[in-house]
Amino acid sequence: MPDVVIIHPESPSPRIQFGLNLLSSRLEAQGASVSRSTHFQPAHSDGTRILLGVRGASADVDELEAQEILLYNSGVPARDGYYVASLPGSLTVVTGESESGVLYGCQELARQIEAIGEVPRDLDRGEAPDLVLRGPAIGLQKTTVEPPRQVYEYPINRERFPWFYDRSTWLDLLDLLFSERANVIYLWSGHPFSSFVRLPDYPEAQEVTAEELAENRELLSWLTAEADRRGIWIVVKFYNIHIPLPFAVHHDIALHQPTPTALTSDYTRQSIAAFVDQFPNVGLYTCLGEVLQGDIYGAEWFVDTILAGVKEGVARSGRDELPPVIVRAHAVDLKPILAQALTSYPRLFTEAKFNGESLTTWNPRGKWQDIHRDLAAQGSLHIVNIHILANLEPFRFGAVSFIQKSVSAIVHRLASHGLHLYPLFYWEWPLTPDRAEPRLRQIDRDWIWYAAWLRYAWRSDRDADGEREYWTRALADQFGSREAAAGALDAYEAMGQVAPRLVRRLGITEGNRQTLSLGMTMSQLTNPGRHRPWADLWDSHAPAGERLETYVQREVRGEAHVGETPITVVEDACYFAERAVAAITRGGEHVRRAVDEYQRIADDAEAIALMAAFYRLRVEAAVAVVAYREGDGRSPGQDVPSLQRAADQIDKSVTLYERLTELTDRSYYYANSMQTPQRKVPFADGHEFAHWRQCLPLYLEEAKNFRANVDRLATGDVATVRPESIPPTAFTPAPYDLLSESAEKYTVRAGQSVFADADSNIREIAPELDGMTGVRFNSSEAYEGQVSVTLRLNRPSQVLIGYFQSAESVWLQVPDLEVDTHADARGGLEPVLRSAVAVDFLPVVNVHSFSYEAGVHTLAMGAGAYAILGVTVADQVFTGRNVLGEADPYASLDWLYEGTDVDERSAK
């Protein structure tokens, strides 16, 4: 190879220096003698020149443009784009719109040199990314909570996060991301500041030792520099209002603060200012929802605390330019916040979830399509978040065409500008859940997940045949033959269709609450309303179609079906799962390398096939149960044979689940990475029900109960089957003091008003509540915003909150795990009494119970009116019964899945 001289800027930036070093190493590997110069070199007969420079900053590049020697046939490089051109005189130019563009141009030229063994003489190639920001999220998170801390709250040290200090793993990740032209890493934490900065005014906020603080600071500085060399921006994510545990203890305040105070605002502002000053190249990314009541206080907190802190930090560091700040559209309406914030801080980026907390479709629609389009139209940069992936856990996902279609939708239909990509097992980064020793790393197991999303984030419109060839070559490099590669690729593509289809049509939620791979109970399929279904799942994150109850109702009435149905979904799921098994089996005999990993893909394919067949049988049984209910199910004995056939299907589904348990016992440590009480489906508590073997006994019991109850129906033994009513008894009151002057106590009974300023009189009331001591305040204030009430509890107690059953904004809404991971921290998600109070001219009231320890507590429930209907003892037992116009419990048929013993059922 001829000698090569690389001409570069006099003081190259870290990114251009990295590209320069990359080119030099590739050239030297081909036997070239490489020299470097900061001055443009004349052509000579036995040498090659490579010129590196940013358009507009390199006089040599500008001169070549002016002389019309350097022309851009595919267009002038756009943002972070590059152009590589072979010019007369053995000159190759690598230029770009920015230093990142030059870096990517060096990368492309290095690939060409490696492919053909020399500097090409016919280059004329330019590209720019479809999406401006492209990169993964990495959580400084754990699978379980550390009481008294709550979800997200983990001070950063070696004991909790040994991987954070492993520089070799970081370099492996950075090199993987650079190979796919990623340019951002989003580091997620609840409250990272107390692990990286020390505040003289708040020494009590420190959560790590002085030695740990120094190590954290040094590591983050090193990581930021190493990432920047590869064109990658480090961004740190934090929640609001989270404060350090020692700070909360010192000031005797709650760990989570839903409303701003002077103390929490000053502490947070100082933390942000110190962080921005000391880490000027690290970005900030924040969530104004969940704990903070963002729709009430979001603009105030964002502008007066967060952005004020950023500006203060910038001023301290002596910089002039404000850094970008990313803000999430999660559990908050961002538009009014942006309207206020953009006037003083124009460099705001926005983020919103693609399919909620799962991957369900490449075509989000409805409300969430509108959210993305509206935010993208704000004139800033909007990022789409591929979030959590709860429905994909714990399996591999390599359906590259599914991913390509998703990115195409992000670029074209959602008109968005960035990709935020979660790992497939977020809460236990960097490890996978595979049963292997040593443990597998996600960047190794799931390389195709990252490679596909980042490849299409760079350019989504690519030829299908060319893409199949590209991925076949990549997998052939892994498994040693094209035949094995074709089997793996076809299996990945087919497996990737199963979980998205199942969850979007059958699931209770796309969120953290549900682990799809662990199955669903019959009650969750036939009576989803009992389990708090999340309507966004099928209204926005699924194609148009029918939920199971609608499907059965149309079947019973003989009506035509519309769109995707539960039956077509389970049929499709089994079809794709069977194709995956066939494909991976077909390629198995051709595997030459990575044999163990190929077998793990085969195990995933088999597990997904068992899961799909399990769902198919249960959906067919569920259709029979709901049809019985929709028909004449109130007359026991009619069409019982359909229920007997359903019992057979449920039994068969459990037999499949036993096989699935046996398989996953040897292949996975657990199914879900978030092993906390937030996981509710199929069974409450993600730690107690983290593996199939833990769920199997409950499915066996459900099947046994169903068959026994159906057999009793068949014999006409109805009396022992029908649930019996439990006589209501009054709740036991607990003493408390009301400390709010703007509220008053009253006796909860018929004729009393639930509000202090209106004749909102109780017309009917549950006997359990009659005579309790409630608290009332002015409804007019609550209609306009939040009304907080402060109580002193003499002992651990439960506060009874009445929610008016209306979605109108004037009424307080029940907390929801879909938008607030901490919604269940004090209980209160499920009603303890349904339709418990009728109030003149107002919606009916459901009662929820929230647990509090002894002490002073301010109830800051959120915007909208509600009723405080009393305080009861901590061990009060609730039935959850429907009080007014009590529905026949026989009608839901949930009792079919419960124990046949009446006393046993009553105890539940």
Side-chain angles (χ1 to χ4, degrees), residues 2-7 23 27 35 37 39-52 64 69 85-94 109 119-120:
D3 293 345
V4 178
V5 57
I6 303 177
I7 306 158
L23 276 178
L27 287 163
S35 61
S37 175
H39 302 288
F40 193 76
Q41 302 291 304
H44 55 93
S45 59
D46 58 349
T48 298
R49 299 170 295 161
I50 299 175
L51 171 64
L52 312 181
L64 290 170
I69 296 173
S86 301
L87 302 181
S90 298
L91 175 64
T92 299
V93 173
V94 179
L109 181 56
V119 178

Side-chain angles (χ1 to χ4, degrees), residues 630-857:
E630 292 294 322
D632 197 19
R634 290 178 181 272
S635 299
Q638 295 203 5
D639 202 22
V640 170
S642 69
L643 296 184
Q644 292 171 326
R645 290 190 294 272
D648 292 339
Q649 291 168 311
I650 293 171
D651 286 344
K652 290 176 183 177
S653 77
V654 176
T655 298
L656 290 175
Y657 201 88
E658 289 175 315
R659 290 174 54 193
L660 179 57
T661 299
E662 181 181 355
L663 172 61
T664 54
D665 253 337
R666 69 172 187 264
S667 58
Y668 282 106
Y669 289 112
Y670 24 72
N672 51 311
S673 63
M674 187 184 195
Q675 297 167 19
T676 71
Q678 279 75 16
R679 291 277 167 135
K680 305 290 187 184
V681 180
F683 305 110
D685 195 322
H687 180 69
E688 292 297 321
F689 298 98
H691 195 279
W692 295 263
R693 84 177 78 85
Q694 295 166 304
C695 301
L696 177 59
L698 277 69
Y699 285 124
L700 286 166
E701 180 184 9
E702 178 191 63
K704 181 188 72 174
N705 292 340
F706 185 82
R707 182 169 292 282
N709 283 325
V710 170
D711 287 347
R712 293 191 179 198
L713 276 178
T715 61
D717 188 9
V718 179
T720 59
V721 178
R722 279 183 180 272
E724 293 187 352
S725 299
I726 302 172
T729 57
F731 292 156
T732 303
Y736 69 94
D737 299 315
L738 174 62
L739 304 182
S740 297
E741 295 182 359
S742 59
E744 63 186 23
K745 288 185 175 183
Y746 75 105
T747 300
V748 179
R749 60 166 53 108
Q752 287 284 338
S753 175
V754 296
F755 294 119
D757 62 342
D759 290 331
S760 302
N761 296 328
I762 296 172
R763 187 171 65 253
E764 294 182 80
I765 188 168
E768 294 93 327
L769 298 171
D770 198 11
M772 295 291 288
T773 301
V775 176
R776 57 190 175 196
F777 42 78
N778 290 340
S779 60
S780 58
E781 296 177 23
Y783 291 155
E784 297 298 324
Q786 174 171 255
V787 170
S788 299
V789 176
T790 301
L791 308 178
R792 180 189 291 117
L793 304 179
N794 300 325
R795 64 187 69 166
S797 307
Q798 301 188 69
V799 179
L800 303 174
I801 302 296
Y803 287 89
F804 293 85
Q805 296 305 287
S806 169
E808 293 184 28
S809 60
V810 296
W811 303 112
L812 178 69
Q813 300 300 308
V814 177
D816 207 312
L817 282 171
E818 258 61 48
V819 296
D820 182 2
T821 302
H822 310 91
D824 201 24
R826 295 188 179 277
L829 289 186
E830 299 295 335
V832 298
L833 288 173
R834 290 174 168 83
S835 300
V837 183
V839 179
D840 287 342
F841 312 115
L842 297 182
V844 70
V845 176
N846 281 359
V847 180
H848 294 241
S849 172
F850 294 83
S851 298
Y852 289 87
E853 59 276 12
V856 176
H857 300 278

Side-chain angles (χ1 to χ4, degrees), residues 56-74:
S58 167
D60 297 325
V61 171
D62 292 347
E63 180 64 20
L64 290 170
E65 290 182 3
Q67 294 174 353
E68 294 191 331
I69 296 173
L70 174 59
L71 302 170
Y72 300 103
N73 289 323
S74 58

Side-chain angles (χ1 to χ4, degrees), residues 138-144 146 149 152-167 170 187-192 195-196 208 212 215-216 219 426-430:
I138 294 176
L140 284 156
Q141 303 291 324
K142 306 289 286 182
T143 59
T144 57
E146 297 179 358
R149 292 186 172 92
Y152 307 147
E153 294 164 359
Y154 306 94
I156 301 166
N157 58 23
R158 280 186 176 271
E159 181 182 0
R160 289 184 180 87
F161 304 108
W163 59 265
F164 184 69
Y165 306 91
D166 184 350
R167 298 192 181 197
W170 275 119
L187 275 177
W188 280 54
S189 175
H191 184 80
S195 294
F196 290 106
V208 295
E212 289 170 337
E215 186 174 31
N216 289 348
L219 189 286
Y426 169 73
W427 299 92
E428 202 181 17
W429 177 269

Side-chain angles (χ1 to χ4, degrees), residues 354-356 358-366 368-369 372-373 384 386 391 397 399-415 453 492-501 503-504 537 540-543 564 572 576:
F354 183 58
N355 290 161
S358 288
L359 187 63
T360 63
T361 178
W362 56 77
N363 278 324
R365 60 191 180 92
W368 279 93
Q369 174 180 264
H372 288 293
R373 287 175 169 175
V384 175
I386 313 301
N391 68 315
F397 190 96
V400 293
S401 61
F402 192 114
I403 293 170
Q404 183 179 13
K405 293 182 181 78
S406 297
V407 179
S408 182
I410 291 170
V411 172
H412 298 300
R413 195 158 52 80
L414 304 185
W453 282 102
Y492 271 140
E493 292 277 41
M495 290 187 328
Q497 294 289 338
V498 177
R501 291 170 187 262
V503 78
R504 73 194 186 200
L537 172 57
S540 290
H541 305 311
E564 190 176 72
D572 286 347
F576 284 111

Side-chain angles (χ1 to χ4, degrees), residues 16 76 119 124 142 151 215 248 253 266 275 295 305 364 367 390 406 415 496 504 549 623 654 717 730 733 800 831 886:
I16 292 181
V76 173
V119 178
D124 189 14
K142 306 289 286 182
V151 177
E215 186 174 31
I253 58 177
D266 185 63
F275 188 87
D295 286 329
T305 298
K367 180 180 79 173
S406 297
R504 73 194 186 200
E549 289 179 294
V623 167
V654 176
D717 188 9
L800 303 174
E886 176 103 36

Side-chain angles (χ1 to χ4, degrees), residues 583-657:
I584 203 70
T585 302
R586 183 175 66 246
E589 64 183 85
H590 303 284
V591 179
R592 303 292 178 264
R593 293 194 292 269
V595 175
D596 289 346
E597 178 57 20
Y598 197 91
Q599 182 58 49
R600 293 187 190 105
I601 299 174
D603 287 345
D604 275 6
E606 183 181 354
I608 289 171
L610 288 169
M611 178 183 75
F614 166 86
Y615 272 104
R616 181 175 187 167
L617 286 165
R618 293 177 83 78
V619 165
E620 290 170 352
V623 167
V625 173
V626 176
Y628 181 85
R629 186 182 73 201
E630 292 294 322
D632 197 19
R634 290 178 181 272
S635 299
Q638 295 203 5
D639 202 22
V640 170
S642 69
L643 296 184
Q644 292 171 326
R645 290 190 294 272
D648 292 339
Q649 291 168 311
I650 293 171
D651 286 344
K652 290 176 183 177
S653 77
V654 176
T655 298
L656 290 175
Y657 201 88

